[in-house]
Amino acid sequence: SLWSRRRTFLTSLALLWSSAKVWPPLVSRPKKGETAAKVYAMPASANSVAAIVCAMDAGIGGMEFCNLMEGAHLKPEYLAKNAFHQIPLF
């Protein structure tokens, strides 16, 4: 079914990028005098794309990978930043 193919695709993406803390193609350097921002997200999330593109366009940051398939959004470190355990987190 379509749902099982989508789940398989998302799982393969998560496994592909699970070892990386920062997804290299989306990392940008902050401009002089600005601090770096991190957008905690998952590349396959359409909701995260806008936040990632805005941070990159402004030149203030990039994406920090949050592996939803392994439950990274439920760990205490992430819950301290976002009690609702959802992505994206800016």
Side-chain angles (χ1 to χ4, degrees):
S1 74
L2 178 62
W3 174 248
S4 66
R5 280 185 272 148
R6 181 177 181 210
R7 188 177 62 201
T8 303
F9 173 72
L10 294 176
T11 303
S12 63
L13 280 178
L15 291 173
L16 180 64
W17 295 312
S18 64
S19 62
K21 290 187 177 180
V22 176
W23 197 33
L26 294 180
V27 175
S28 61
R29 298 189 182 267
K31 294 178 183 174
K32 216 173 200 179
E34 293 181 342
T35 59
K38 293 180 184 175
V39 179
Y40 293 86
M42 192 165 178
S45 170
N47 294 333
S48 301
V49 172
I52 295 165
V53 170
C54 286
M56 290 179 59
D57 186 50
I60 58 170
M63 188 186 98
E64 182 80 19
F65 184 68
C66 180
N67 192 346
L68 297 176
M69 301 298 178
E70 291 182 357
H73 62 299
L74 300 174
K75 293 184 179 176
E77 302 86 35
Y78 191 82
L79 291 173
K81 298 172 189 165
N82 184 0
F84 297 109
H85 60 80
Q86 296 177 350
I87 61 167
L89 170 63
F90 186 73

